[in-house]
Each structure stands twice: as structure tokens, then as C-alpha cells.
Amino acid sequence: MEFAVQLKNVTKTFGKVVANKDVSLDIRKGEILSLLGENGSGKTTLMNMIAGIYYPDEGEILVNGKPVEIRSPKDAYSLGIGMIHQHFKLIDVFTAVENIALGLEKTEKFDMKAIQEKTQAICDKYHFDLNLTQKVYEMSVSQKQTLEIVKVLYRGADILILDEPTAVLTPQETERLFEVIRNMKKDNKSVIIITHKLHEVLEISDRVAILRKGEYIGAVDTAEATENSLTEMMVGKKVELNIQRTEPVNPVKRLSISHLTVYNKENVKVLDNVSFDAYGGEILGIAGISGNGQKELLEAIAGLQITSQESSIKFYERGKENSPMELVGKTPKKIRDAGIHLAFVPEDRLGMGLVGSMGMTGNMLLKSYGRGHSPITDTRGPKKLAERVKEELEVVTPSINTPVSRLSGGNVQKVLVGREIAEEPTVLMTAYAVRGLDINTSYTIYNLLDEEKKNGVAVIYVGEDLDVLIDLCDRILVLCDGKANGIVEGRRTTKEEVGLLMTNIKKGGAGK
């Protein structure tokens, strides 16, 4: 058996935190290997050592059977290793082919025509759908990811590492990506996928390697694995993969949205005359292909978008149901100052939700800052809250003062969700609350949302996994091309019905 990469007793620490401990793992030539583990289990750190971003403290790495030293991404490229990260490294104002040219060695001849021809040959070989003269800022997320893959193939990569490649892709885009990965496997390339989506692991990979708390647990052939067996290996105990969905009890109207229309910065209409109601004691799902107005819908309710004059967002605060408050025209600060209990977990965790350079205490403080009458900031309450969130949601962090930007994506999300729920909101809005989270943490979040619903909170859940939307939500509003295309009952609908509403505009739109 030929091995593309072999890790032998690899260890990596960051201060007192052991990211990887004594890991020995083989990656075969011409195989698709999925790397699984809970958030903070060391998956990305391990792959970053193969890609030259980190250097191991102990152990050795062999490529094609020979011991190597990989001290930089340049070293990795010279060994035929390329990594496609979650956050793309592209220049927005350049075209696809110009981005590929940027990575060339200074010794190589800079011939744009030859570069374009070679790139087109790669696209044709692996069936990539990419316009090489298109600017990056005009591309969809799927096209940007394709460009990143073409970039590493252009540089001669035979070993490709993809970090959460399907996190922001639609089911159709995911299937196209899998087709490309299978084509690369046929060409004897080795592909490593870091992912949390177990059904995708079972569909695409030949083997699954599992890490738990930085240690290598083992590898299994995908043909012999199930979602439950993989989860048990990841977590170390049996986990029930059942979403708790309680029946709504005495639902009370908390939001009434009428004729909501929103334009983006380029003056393009992103939400078109959307109307619906949300009730306390229910979870209302929002479904739609990425970019169909889900993000803007939540931001408009939170006071972060400019809406048309006809738009109306009425908020029915607990105890004030007879005097609803109009949110249109109010800033987030004015909404908060009006005593409206509205919590928002945005899609952009570190850009909009949290301050990356602050620790958990500082980020808890953000919600109460400016409310006190003393010029001296009182951190006792935020510190207690930080400790409570850390304990209850099992946030893995060296300390509650460690900058949250240093935490894994899943732990960052736990901090954000924990902070918003602690506000005891009347309405809780979440955008892609489990994106990038391991299955165990995802089910923790689902159960938290169901608990909020039981407490009479109106939960609005924007998600991309149709199975979860159907199992978790009481009702699902489907957006298509910025319009409300229908509202379906979670207990009665099917994936096929929701999928059709996501892609085909219905005449007449959606009622309430």
C-alpha cells in the first residue's frame, strides 16, 4: 500500500493547551479521507502542520515515504500539498486567472495567455465550472471555492486538504463539488476533508479518521460506519441523535412583519414585500438557497438594514401585547433603549457578533455596557455570566480572558449563543447557528433553542440543512429570490416540497 502522507507521533501545543498529542495517521494515495472530531479536537491544527502553517513540537511527517520538514506553505507546495481554507485567500478585484498568476514563483515566466490555457486545461480535466475572466467579487461562494481548488492544482498539488468545504454550499453545489473530488481521486490524488456533516462523510469518503481532544482515536472504512458509530467514536459515549421538538403551548404573537422590502448598498432589492408573523412558544424556520434574503431579513428586524417606507415590523413585548412597537426606523441602540428584548446570533460570528480581541468577559460586557450610571465599568456580572456560559456549554478555552479569536469556530459560536440566550429575550433570532459545529454541539444548540421555545420565546431559525429545519421547526417560511414563497408546517412537509419552494417562485407568494 502506497502512502501519500504519514504522521508519526506528532504533537503540537499552544502555551498550556495541547492541540495535538502523539498523533500517528496515514493518508493513502488515491483515497478520500474524512477527518472527524468535535470542535477544538485539533483537526485543523493537524492539517495546518501538513500545510506548513504550523510546525510540530514533536514527531515527524513523511511524504511519499520520505521524512520531510514543512516549515512554510511554500515548502508544502514544493511537496505537492495544497490546503483550501474555510476563509478564502483571494484578491476580490482580480480575475480568476490573475489570482492564479499571483502564486507563481518569481523564476517562472509571467505569460498570462499561457497561464490561462493551462488553467483552462485543468478546468476541463476535472469538470470545473469557472469563468477565468470573471472578477472574484462577482463570484458566488461556490465559484470562489472552485478557484481556490484550481489554484492549488495549478501549483502541482497531489495532496489536497479541504477545511469545511461544504459549510456554505447549497445541496446542488455540494453535489458538484463531490463530483470534482471523485474526479481527482480517479487521477490518484489524495483528498482530505475536514467536516462535521456525517451524511456527507458517509457519501464521499473511503475512510474516516477520528480525533478526540487532540488525540487520534482510529480510522474506519466508511462502508462499515454509521452516523451513530462515528458520533460515539468522536464523543466517547453513545449520543442520541434525536431533535426534541415539543408542541407549541398557547402561542402568542411576538412579531408581525408586513410588506418588508430591503435594498442593499448597490440599491438591488434583496427582500421583496415579505409578510409573516412569528409567535412566542414556536420555532419559525427560514429556508432558502444562500443569498436569497435570509441574512437581510434578520438584520432588518434587528435595525441593521434600511427598509422601504411601506415596510412594517411590529414587536409585541411580553406584558405589552396591546401596544406593539414599530421597529422600522429604529437603530439597534434605540431598540434596546426602548426595553425590547430582542437577541440576535448573526451569521458573521467574529465580524458582527463578537470582538475577536476580547475574552469571554469582555464580550459579555458588550451587552450591558452603557446601561450603568457609574463611569467605572462593573465587570462582576459579565464575569459571572462568562463563567456560567463556559461551564454550561462546555466552552474549551484556556481562560475566560483568552481572546475569543483564538478559540475554535464551535467554541466561538457557543460563547455567542450563550450570551444571547442569557439576555432572556422575547424574540431570539439565529443565523446558521450550527454552521461548522460538530454533531454533539449542534444537538446541544437544538435543545437550547427548544428550551427557549418552551419558555415562551419566539425563536427564528435560519438554517441550511433541510432535514434539521423539518425536524426542529414548527413552521418554515421559504424565501426564493427575496420573496416569501410559502409557509409550511414542519411536522407535515417534506424536503422535496421545501426544495421546490426554494427554487421555483409560486404565484401569489406566501400568506401569514
Side-chain angles (χ1 to χ4, degrees):
M1 189 178 293
E2 285 189 286
F3 295 111
V5 180
Q6 292 163 283
L7 303 177
K8 294 193 173 177
N9 308 111
V10 169
T11 295
K12 182 67 185 173
T13 58
F14 298 95
K16 292 178 183 175
V17 177
V18 180
N20 294 120
K21 184 182 177 185
D22 203 29
V23 174
S24 295
L25 169 68
D26 299 327
I27 297 136
R28 299 166 187 168
K29 286 194 176 179
E31 83 161 343
I32 301 167
L33 178 77
S34 287
L35 191 58
L36 270 183
E38 291 189 275
N39 294 112
S41 61
K43 304 180 299 295
T44 302
T45 301
L46 192 67
M47 291 300 105
N48 277 339
M49 285 189 273
I50 299 174
I53 293 163
Y54 297 143
Y55 189 75
D57 299 332
E58 295 172 26
E60 66 174 340
I61 300 173
L62 288 79
V63 176
N64 297 320
K66 295 174 185 172
V68 294
E69 285 211 349
I70 308 174
R71 292 188 173 272
S72 69
K74 188 178 175 185
D75 290 346
Y77 275 125
S78 68
L79 293 163
I81 300 167
M83 185 165 177
I84 293 91
H85 299 269
Q86 272 182 279
H87 304 290
F88 306 136
K89 301 178 188 311
L90 300 167
I91 308 296
D92 274 2
V93 294
F94 284 9
T95 64
V97 75
E98 285 167 347
N99 269 279
I100 287 165
L102 281 174
L104 298 181
E105 294 286 335
K106 289 179 183 176
T107 52
E108 292 182 63
K109 189 181 176 188
F110 197 80
D111 181 343
M112 285 302 287
K113 189 181 176 192
I115 294 167
Q116 182 153 340
E117 285 173 1
K118 184 180 171 183
T119 306
Q120 190 60 55
I122 291 168
C123 291
D124 295 342
K125 181 176 182 179
Y126 297 108
H127 303 154
F128 287 113
D129 182 19
L130 194 63
N131 177 355
L132 298 182
T133 58
Q134 189 176 12
K135 303 267 190 190
V136 168
Y137 67 79
E138 297 172 330
M139 293 180 180
S140 68
V141 174
S142 174
Q143 289 169 317
K144 289 176 187 176
Q145 187 182 64
T146 301
L147 175 54
E148 285 282 24
I149 296 171
V150 173
K151 249 172 66 179
V152 298
L153 289 173
Y154 188 98
R155 297 181 195 181
D158 290 313
I159 300 152
L160 289 93
I161 304 163
L162 295 107
D163 191 359
E164 296 287 352
T166 65
V168 291
L169 302 186
T170 65
Q172 295 88 340
E173 289 169 338
T174 297
E175 196 42 59
R176 278 202 296 275
L177 173 67
F178 285 178
E179 188 185 329
V180 165
I181 290 172
R182 290 185 188 105
N183 287 336
M184 292 193 288
K185 177 193 166 180
K186 283 180 197 167
D187 200 31
N188 207 37
K189 296 195 183 294
S190 303
V191 183
I192 307 155
I193 301 172
I194 303 171
T195 183
H196 291 301
K197 298 183 179 180
L198 295 185
H199 61 283
E200 291 180 357
V201 168
L202 296 171
E203 182 185 340
I204 188 68
S205 58
D206 301 306
R207 285 191 309 140
V208 187
I210 290 163
L211 294 179
R212 189 194 309 150
K213 294 180 180 174
E215 296 186 36
Y216 176 59
I217 299 302
V220 292
D221 290 336
T222 311
E224 297 168 8
T226 64
E227 287 195 19
N228 284 76
S229 71
L230 293 175
T231 305
E232 196 174 331
M233 284 182 77
M234 277 194 325
V235 180
K237 60 185 179 186
K238 281 195 181 293
V239 177
E240 288 297 322
L241 300 181
N242 293 318
I243 293 174
Q244 302 298 318
R245 175 170 53 189
T246 50
E247 287 285 342
V249 178
N250 301 325
V252 179
K253 190 188 287 185
R254 293 298 175 201
L255 271 178
S256 186
I257 315 273
S258 301
H259 309 297
L260 181 61
T261 300
V262 174
Y263 294 86
N264 66 12
K265 289 174 186 173
E266 287 77 40
N267 208 30
V268 174
K269 193 185 285 184
V270 285
L271 277 177
D272 185 1
N273 198 31
V274 171
S275 299
F276 67 93
D277 295 332
Y279 293 85
E282 76 160 4
I283 298 179
L284 175 69
I286 311 287
I289 291 170
S290 182
N292 271 250
Q294 302 95 307
K295 172 173 167 280
E296 289 81 5
L297 173 60
L298 298 196
E299 288 180 359
I301 297 168
L304 295 163
Q305 290 280 354
I306 296 170
T307 57
S308 69
Q309 287 184 337
E310 302 79 34
S311 301
S312 172
I313 304 170
K314 285 192 165 57
F315 194 102
Y316 299 78
E317 184 57 81
R318 292 190 202 210
K320 302 176 183 176
E321 285 83 2
N322 295 328
S323 51
M325 188 167 289
E326 179 61 62
L327 300 190
V328 167
K330 284 185 170 59
T331 63
K333 186 176 186 302
K334 282 183 178 172
I335 290 172
R336 190 186 73 185
D337 292 347
I340 289 170
H341 291 82
L342 175 67
F344 180 29
V345 178
E347 179 181 8
D348 186 357
R349 298 164 191 173
L350 287 174
M352 187 185 285
L354 301 168
V355 177
S357 59
M358 286 183 176
M360 286 180 67
T361 303
N363 275 288
M364 300 299 156
L365 179 67
L366 290 175
K367 293 291 278 192
S368 57
Y369 183 76
R371 289 185 192 170
H373 301 290
S374 167
I376 299 167
T377 304
D378 184 358
T379 60
R380 286 172 299 181
K383 188 180 177 187
K384 269 188 184 173
L385 178 56
E387 285 168 347
R388 196 178 106 210
V389 170
K390 180 177 184 285
E391 185 183 340
E392 289 179 8
L393 295 186
E394 298 177 352
V395 177
V396 179
T397 176
S399 109
I400 56 171
N401 296 317
T402 299
V404 293
S405 60
R406 293 190 197 164
L407 308 186
S408 71
N411 286 304
V412 169
Q413 186 71 331
K414 286 179 185 178
V415 173
L416 183 51
V417 171
R419 184 189 72 186
E420 295 303 306
I421 286 176
E423 285 283 293
E424 298 182 354
T426 299
V427 174
L428 170 64
M429 304 188 296
T430 69
Y432 308 106
V434 299
R435 181 182 281 170
L437 300 192
D438 61 70
I439 195 156
N440 202 33
T441 308
S442 297
Y443 277 79
T444 302
I445 300 287
Y446 302 147
N447 290 333
L448 279 172
L449 297 180
D450 195 66
E451 284 299 318
E452 289 300 292
K453 165 185 152 180
K454 282 196 256 183
N455 291 335
V457 176
V459 180
I460 301 178
Y461 178 89
V462 174
E464 53 207 346
D465 188 323
L466 293 187
D467 290 307
V468 170
L469 277 162
I470 289 167
D471 287 346
L472 177 70
C473 302
D474 300 294
R475 293 185 303 139
I476 301 166
L477 167 71
V478 186
L479 293 178
C480 179
D481 200 24
K483 294 182 172 70
N485 206 30
I487 293 180
V488 294
E489 295 287 329
R491 290 167 181 79
R492 295 195 190 97
T493 192
T494 61
K495 270 170 72 171
E496 289 71 26
E497 183 185 16
V498 176
L500 279 172
L501 287 171
M502 283 166 61
T503 51
N504 298 307
I505 294 214
K506 248 171 66 176
K507 286 181 182 175
K512 293 191 181 186

